[in-house]
Amino acid sequence: MKRGEPYMASREQEQQTFYGPNLGYIIELYERFLEDASSVDEETRSYFEKNGAPVAEPVVQQTVETGDFEKYLAASRLADQIRAKGHLAADIYPLKDHPREMELFELRQFGLTEADLRGMPVTLVCPDPPAHLADAFEGIEHLKAQYTGAAAVEFQHVDDLDEKKWLRQKIEQGALTATLSVDQKKQLFKRLAETDLFEKYLHKTYVGQKRFSIEGLDAMVPLLDTIVGHLIANGSETINIGMAHRGRLNVLAHVLGKPYEMIFAEFQHAPNHDLVPSEGSIGITYGWTGDVKYHLGLNRKMGQQSSNVRMTLANNPSHLEFVDPVVEGFTRAAQDDRSQKGAPRQEQGKAAAILIHGDAAFPGQGIVAETLNLTNLKGYNTGGTIHIIANNTIGFTTEPADSRSTRYSSDLAKGYEIPVFHVNADEPESCLAVALLASEYRATFKKDILIDLIGYRRFGHNEMDEPMNTNPVLYELIHKHDSARVLYANQLVEQGDVTKEDITTIEADINDMMKAAREKVPNVEKEYGGVMPDVVFKGVPTIETGVAVEKLMAYNEQLLEWPSGFSVFHKLEKVLKRRTDALTTKNGIDWGHAETLAFASILSDGTPIRLSGQDSERGTFAQRNINLNDVKTGKAFSPMHSLKSATASFAVYNSPLSEAGVLGFEYGYNVFAPETLVLWEAQYGDFANSGQVIFDQFISASRAKWGQTSGLVMLLPHGYEGQGPEHSSARLERFLSLSGEKNWTVANVSSAAQYFHLLRRQAAILGKDEVRPLVVMTPKSLLRHPLATSDLSELTDGSFKRIVEQAGLGQSPEQVERIVFCSGKVAIDLAEAVSKSDDDFNWLHIVRIEEIYPFPAKQLKALLERFPQVTEFVWVQEEPKNMGAWTYIEPRLESVAINGITQVRYIGRRRRSSTAEGDPTGHKVEQARILTEALTRQSVKEPTAPTTSETNV
């Protein structure tokens, strides 16, 4: 067919009908086909060769001349331009400080006139038009109204055609234009008034106190109301919110219903426990050292018809976005049913997450990208998160041009195909429309959605800052700008929906309510700190964790049974089958085997297990293999799921290559599912430092700051085998420097049985007052080392031992002169060196400190009483002197010293800036020196640094 020839738009031709944006695209392809058939793909070329030109309208006959064809194409391109770039011309900035690029849609730019468009059908540019639109010109004007108003949208980056079509239809049918009754408008105004007047009351009543006001983003509160209401209506029983401090007090007061008097009490430093409502619907989270009021979270149970809805605002430190994965973990835990064996059963509709971000933090902090990456992963998805950027258009004092390389702060989300709505915070009705549409999108597609709520910040970063020093032009505009409350009140009065008297009455009632609340607050200051349970200071008790022989034998047998026809890789099959004999021979139970038996026993006790990390299904060192893959079909199978005695779920996930995001997620999961043994494993322990904020701000300190308990287990491969600086040290010293108030357990165990009992002990304390996180320096080379394996009898009896004496030494206590203390892998190196030596070591004893924190002082004192002739304590470690446990352990060993010993000697690497040698030969030399010095009777001397004196470093 040649250009200018007629074509039939008839259903009898059995051609596909194209219209709207699809028509524009297909016409463009047809143009290319006519010019060069090879420029289009084979399938499209075949279609055009068979059917000719694309069909525009069914059941009509049309003739398209060359000029008309170009006009149709131009009209379609114009419509697509409005959809794709309408946001550039939208009225989304309250301060009117950004130009609206309406010239993008001028008809002359597309070679069109109004007359041209008047002669085209409206469906060419708007496939699902409202009934009142008569032609393409009215369709274009309608599109501009929908895409360039106070709310705008970006969704061209979304690949899924169903999502695109759904969004296009909703928007073009008016979903971004709210239609409110007079009563609804009054309620909306009242919400804005509560939000604004609350901030103003705090400002004048508590002068000079930080509160990180919401002013400039007041519409966030009614926006959240709408989202929460929609989530509840769609079956959410749990709603978890994460946000930084900007606007937090207002969200606590008006979204979660924290009483004004409780907030005022915190400003006045007065006791507030008596102000908690008697029905106990609100749980305040604070610990014994506590935190500032704008970091605190809240749990609220709301009665909704026949069910109770739990809403949580997560505690959050000033590390703004690091709460994001924690809240996602909360939400997944609320969705998972862990009550039966097998994999947990996820019900996405049961819980939902709302994350409120800062406009500078969203593109600036990498944890946001880590969290967004979790959204579609099987072990971490939560059925779609609603993201809100609380967009002040400024950081602390930093302008957008200095804080990001993108036009919008939200642009990062587009890489994850997340639709983005931009909305003017001074247009509250548009904010409600966007909130409803975003909620509907999440419910329909189970995907993340983002609302960029664009406003401003009324004051400086906090209420004590003077922003005119750093941002004078911006704040000159802000000082002249009325609040959303005032603007909306004026609008309602002009529309005749309310009177000025109505406005005055509503505002007076709100102010009276706040004054009455303040009068309830005692005029006395509360005592410093909270109440810490005594059981915390007592530490983890000794718990008998042995498992009966017959049970272990049964677990072992069942875990080596695979479905009929399931083909395991032949090499792996041989490795696993060795476990059949390991329980009855001297070959011993290795680390991975002991872990598997521990998991089986814990599941049989009714405790769910969740394990995740980089390559955790197999294990970084091929030690676990807890998920098997059929070599013929690729089908996965976990023996844990078929364990007959299991009464709880088991899940293991290979995580994305993320530390902070996944660690935060697992922490959140455990907090929300305290009955579950949750384990996070680093690929190498060194990589855990990428999650340092989560360790510092959440895991180590959450109980002290917020009264938030966790039993999370962290498995950190640690040990010096000559693999270089990034594959040796899990930075034990960092965890010990964070240790205090019995906040967690830090262990460096040296045998499979010890690991077995440690896991079972941790499972036994879940949900109890003595629960705390567990940090374990796990091995690499010791995973299969004969001296680290254990006999079956070591698993059937006893419990975890905080200290372990080296077998074969210390048999003649009165002859022992030196006690070597050590931990982890170096203890096995020493044991191996002793076993290979012909020397008489009656003068020596070796004691492994398996639980480093809390320090086992009582056990050590009891042991040392048996050795009256000891004159020398030595601490041996692999790590450099300024790393590892030395700095922590030295004063503690001195505190238990006997016989006038006042100094503990050190053997190990000298102080260094890097954790380990990069050369395997250099590593072996140093390791040999350490062992030799530890096992040599002569006095110990630390090697001198080759250049600068240690005393000057």
Side-chain angles (χ1 to χ4, degrees):
M1 177 179 288
K2 297 180 180 179
R3 295 169 110 185
E5 291 185 357
Y7 69 88
M8 294 294 295
S10 169
R11 296 187 186 277
E12 285 74 23
Q13 287 183 288
E14 297 184 351
Q15 290 174 289
Q16 183 175 351
T17 299
F18 300 101
Y19 46 83
N22 289 336
L23 175 61
Y25 176 65
I26 206 69
I27 288 175
E28 186 175 357
L29 287 180
Y30 187 62
E31 284 270 272
R32 287 164 51 189
F33 167 75
L34 292 176
E35 294 175 2
D36 179 8
S38 64
S39 66
V40 299
D41 64 88
E42 184 177 350
E43 184 179 355
T44 303
R45 184 166 62 249
S46 176
Y47 176 85
F48 288 149
E49 289 170 349
K50 178 182 178 181
N51 297 302
V55 178
E57 286 287 302
V59 203
V60 295
Q61 182 173 341
Q62 295 179 322
T63 299
V64 177
E65 299 297 336
T66 300
D68 294 336
F69 197 90
E70 294 289 353
K71 297 285 187 182
Y72 268 66
L73 180 58
S76 182
R77 286 174 175 165
L78 171 57
D80 284 344
Q81 177 94 322
I82 295 170
R83 294 183 181 95
K85 297 187 177 181
H87 58 93
L88 299 177
D91 183 21
I92 54 177
Y93 296 97
L95 300 178
K96 314 299 182 186
D97 55 342
H98 290 68
R100 299 178 64 184
E101 302 177 34
M102 295 300 294
E103 67 277 5
L104 293 170
F105 316 123
E106 291 178 358
L107 297 186
R108 60 182 176 81
Q109 301 238 28
F110 292 83
L112 293 169
T113 65
E114 179 178 341
D116 293 332
L117 293 174
R118 291 288 188 189
M120 300 178 192
V122 65
T123 51
L124 175 68
V125 297
C126 187
D128 305 289
H132 67 277
L133 300 182
D135 51 45
F137 178 77
E138 292 185 9
I140 290 295
E141 292 301 303
H142 174 73
L143 292 182
K144 287 195 286 188
Q146 302 309 309
Y147 287 98
T148 68
V153 63
E154 293 182 89
F155 64 93
Q156 299 302 311
H157 55 278
V158 177
D159 285 341
D160 188 277
L161 293 179
D162 288 336
E163 291 179 44
K164 276 186 174 179
K165 181 179 179 181
W166 186 91
L167 285 165
R168 178 181 56 75
Q169 288 178 336
K170 287 285 186 179
I171 293 165
E172 294 174 19
Q173 289 168 6
L176 293 182
T177 304
T179 304
L180 303 182
S181 67
V182 172
D183 285 343
Q184 288 173 325
K185 290 179 180 180
K186 287 182 178 179
Q187 184 58 37
L188 175 55
F189 169 74
K190 182 180 178 182
R191 209 61 168 146
L192 291 173
E194 289 172 340
T195 303
D196 188 27
L197 296 175
F198 173 74
E199 296 288 358
K200 286 180 167 48
Y201 186 84
L202 294 177
H203 192 69
K204 70 179 181 181
T205 306
Y206 304 106
V207 179
Q209 289 204 46
K210 295 180 184 179
R211 69 179 191 279
F212 298 98
S213 162
I214 201 173
E215 291 165 282
L217 292 168
D218 310 62
M220 186 195 301
V221 168
L223 182 143
L224 285 171
D225 288 339
T226 302
I227 293 172
V228 168
H230 191 276
L231 292 173
I232 293 173
N234 278 272
S236 292
E237 299 171 6
T238 302
I239 298 171
N240 299 312
I241 303 174
M243 68 181 298
H245 38 271
R246 174 71 52 203
R248 189 179 188 88
L249 295 180
N250 221 303
V251 170
L252 282 167
H254 298 120
V255 179
L256 281 94
K258 184 174 181 179
Y260 288 148
E261 49 265 40
M262 294 182 71
I263 297 173
F264 298 159
E266 290 164 358
F267 274 96
Q268 294 177 212
H269 311 291
N272 60 17
H273 57 274
D274 293 332
L275 302 176
V276 178
S278 59
E279 67 270 18
S281 63
I282 294 178
I284 301 301
T285 50
Y286 63 92
W288 51 88
T289 54
D291 203 347
V292 293
K293 49 190 167 290
Y294 39 82
H295 289 173
L296 297 179
L298 193 84
N299 295 316
R300 178 188 176 192
K301 290 185 179 179
M302 302 181 295
Q304 297 288 329
Q305 298 176 355
S306 59
S307 63
N308 284 325
V309 175
R310 176 183 180 183
M311 187 152 58
T312 297
L313 177 64
N315 305 290
N316 192 29
S318 283
H319 294 69
L320 308 175
E321 299 290 342
F322 281 82
V323 74
D324 297 352
V326 175
V327 170
E328 297 293 351
F330 283 0
T331 307
R332 180 58 181 263
Q335 294 174 348
D336 281 353
D337 178 0
R338 298 170 291 277
S339 62
Q340 300 178 45
K341 74 176 183 180
R345 295 160 180 80
Q346 184 185 9
E347 187 178 336
Q348 292 180 336
K350 287 182 62 178
I354 302 171
L355 293 178
I356 304 170
H357 311 271
D359 56 295
F362 191 83
Q365 296 193 328
I367 190 69
V368 176
E370 290 191 38
T371 305
L372 293 176
N373 188 51
L374 301 177
T375 183
N376 294 319
L377 305 182
K378 66 179 181 179
Y380 309 91
N381 74 76
T382 56
T385 294
I386 297 178
H387 300 268
I388 301 167
I389 293 180
N391 195 337
N392 299 300
T393 66
I394 193 171
F396 191 150
T397 63
T398 305
E399 302 278 3
D402 294 318
S403 68
R404 63 175 184 264
S405 297
T406 57
R407 176 184 289 269
Y408 296 116
S409 59
S410 56
D411 283 346
L412 171 67
K414 293 195 287 189
Y416 297 90
E417 296 189 41
I418 297 171
V420 177
F421 293 99
H422 306 281
V423 61
N424 188 326
D426 271 1
E427 297 288 344
E429 293 185 13
S430 295
C431 292
L432 297 193
V434 166
L436 182 59
L437 185 56
S439 300
E440 290 178 352
Y441 174 88
R442 177 198 177 272
T444 302
F445 296 104
K446 311 298 182 187
K447 281 188 57 181
D448 286 24
I449 188 90
L450 189 148
I451 300 171
D452 181 16
L453 180 65
I454 302 176
Y456 56 90
R457 190 181 65 200
R458 175 64 65 182
F459 301 104
H461 175 65
N462 60 61
E463 289 66 35
M464 300 169 67
D465 283 334
E466 176 47 75
M468 289 296 289
N469 291 338
T470 52
N471 310 93
V473 176
L474 175 64
Y475 274 87
E476 185 67 27
L477 291 174
I478 292 172
H479 291 161
K480 298 175 182 178
H481 192 75
D482 285 331
S483 70
R485 168 182 64 91
V486 173
L487 293 173
Y488 194 54
N490 293 340
Q491 177 184 325
L492 295 185
V493 171
E494 290 174 7
Q495 293 172 349
D497 293 321
V498 299
T499 65
K500 290 183 178 180
E501 290 73 19
D502 293 333
I503 298 295
T504 301
T505 300
I506 291 171
E507 293 179 351
D509 289 344
I510 293 169
N511 282 318
D512 289 345
M513 187 184 306
M514 287 187 288
K515 290 176 184 176
R518 190 186 179 211
E519 291 174 358
K520 296 179 183 178
V521 180
N523 290 318
V524 293
E525 289 199 5
K526 65 179 178 180
E527 294 182 7
Y528 172 75
V531 178
M532 175 165 55
D534 289 340
V535 69
V536 176
F537 278 133
K538 293 178 181 177
V540 179
T542 298
I543 301 172
E544 293 295 319
T545 49
V547 179
V549 172
E550 57 273 14
K551 288 185 177 181
L552 291 175
M553 299 291 277
Y555 300 153
N556 201 54
E557 182 178 347
Q558 292 172 38
L559 293 172
L560 294 172
E561 294 175 355
W562 307 320
S564 176
F566 191 88
S567 302
V568 178
F569 180 53
H570 66 94
K571 292 183 179 179
L572 175 59
E573 183 177 5
K574 289 181 181 178
V575 171
L576 294 177
K577 288 299 183 182
R578 290 180 194 146
R579 294 182 177 181
T580 303
D581 301 326
L583 272 62
T584 57
T585 66
K586 292 184 179 181
N587 291 334
I589 299 167
D590 65 22
W591 193 274
H593 192 185
E595 180 187 70
T596 301
L597 293 173
F599 286 166
S601 67
I602 290 167
L603 292 174
S604 299
D605 290 340
T607 298
I609 297 174
R610 175 186 167 94
L611 165 65
S612 85
Q614 293 150 8
D615 312 293
S616 286
E617 291 183 10
R618 188 201 78 170
T620 299
F621 313 100
Q623 82 279 11
R624 181 171 291 120
N625 298 296
I626 213 161
N627 266 18
L628 306 177
N629 299 286
D630 191 304
V631 293
K632 297 179 180 178
T633 67
K635 185 177 180 182
F637 165 71
S638 176
M640 287 292 176
H641 291 164
S642 59
L643 190 69
K644 295 175 184 176
S645 56
T647 57
S649 68
F650 176 82
V652 57
Y653 300 106
N654 285 339
S655 77
L657 199 63
S658 159
E659 284 82 30
V662 174
L663 178 59
F665 186 100
E666 301 305 340
Y667 167 79
Y669 194 105
N670 178 243
V671 168
F672 232 73
E675 84 294 348
T676 304
L677 183 66
V678 180
L679 307 97
W680 174 74
E681 182 176 53
Q683 190 177 69
Y684 284 86
D686 312 62
F687 303 161
N689 57 18
S690 293
Q692 198 64 43
V693 172
I694 303 296
F695 287 119
D696 290 352
Q697 306 302 324
F698 290 92
I699 301 172
S700 69
S702 63
R703 192 167 195 170
K705 292 193 294 187
W706 312 315
Q708 185 167 286
T709 58
S710 164
L712 180 66
V713 178
M714 291 140 283
L715 306 177
L716 311 177
H718 176 85
Y720 282 52
E721 286 95 3
Q723 296 187 47
E726 277 70 61
H727 296 86
S728 299
S729 174
R731 293 291 192 174
L732 174 61
E733 66 278 1
R734 293 185 179 174
F735 298 99
L736 294 175
S737 71
L738 291 169
S739 298
E741 299 177 309
K742 305 288 178 68
N743 60 328
W744 56 16
T745 299
V746 180
N748 192 12
V749 298
S750 57
S751 77
Q754 280 283 84
Y755 181 50
F756 173 89
H757 289 294
L758 186 59
L759 289 176
R760 285 186 47 77
R761 187 184 78 167
Q762 187 70 8
I765 64 173
L766 295 172
K768 299 180 179 179
D769 284 341
E770 56 264 37
V771 71
R772 68 209 61 207
L774 170 62
V775 181
V776 188
M777 303 289 112
T778 55
K780 302 192 292 291
S781 62
L782 299 191
L783 290 169
R784 300 172 184 84
H785 197 293
L787 293 180
T789 62
S790 301
D791 293 333
L792 178 61
S793 61
E794 295 179 78
L795 275 58
T796 59
D797 296 312
S799 60
F800 174 71
K801 298 178 178 62
R802 291 177 167 87
I803 60 173
V804 172
E805 298 180 60
Q806 174 67 54
L809 296 181
Q811 301 300 307
S812 303
E814 67 283 352
Q815 297 183 37
V816 174
E817 300 172 5
R818 175 191 295 173
I819 295 182
V820 168
F821 297 95
C822 55
S823 185
K825 175 184 169 292
V826 75
I828 299 300
D829 290 346
L830 287 167
E832 187 172 29
V834 168
S835 68
K836 292 179 178 179
S837 175
D838 294 328
D839 292 349
D840 181 357
F841 289 109
N842 286 341
W843 58 276
L844 175 72
H845 196 28
I846 299 176
V847 177
R848 307 175 188 177
I849 300 181
E850 304 272 294
E851 181 178 278
I852 305 177
Y853 184 83
F855 184 69
K858 291 181 180 178
Q859 291 85 350
L860 284 174
K861 286 180 178 179
L863 177 145
L864 295 173
E865 289 177 356
R866 296 175 14 224
F867 301 95
Q869 302 303 318
V870 170
T871 58
E872 187 177 39
F873 280 2
V874 174
W875 173 257
V876 177
Q877 68 178 37
E878 301 177 289
E879 304 90 342
K881 190 174 184 180
N882 55 321
M883 304 176 196
W886 168 244
T887 302
Y888 162 87
I889 211 81
E890 180 188 17
R892 287 163 178 82
L893 285 179
E894 289 176 353
S895 71
V896 299
I898 57 174
N899 301 334
I901 297 174
T902 58
Q903 184 178 3
V904 179
R905 293 184 179 273
Y906 168 85
I907 296 177
R909 287 169 171 79
R910 63 179 176 82
R911 294 178 184 274
R912 287 177 171 171
S913 56
S914 180
T915 54
E917 302 89 352
D919 177 60
T921 302
H923 159 79
K924 291 178 181 178
V925 170
E926 273 292 86
Q927 203 72 0
R929 177 192 64 78
I930 292 169
L931 299 179
T932 299
E933 290 192 15
L935 301 178
T936 300
R937 198 166 187 173
Q938 62 202 35
S939 61
V940 180
K941 294 181 180 179
E942 182 187 352
T944 303
T947 53
T948 308
S949 169
E950 283 291 320
T951 58
N952 295 327
V953 175

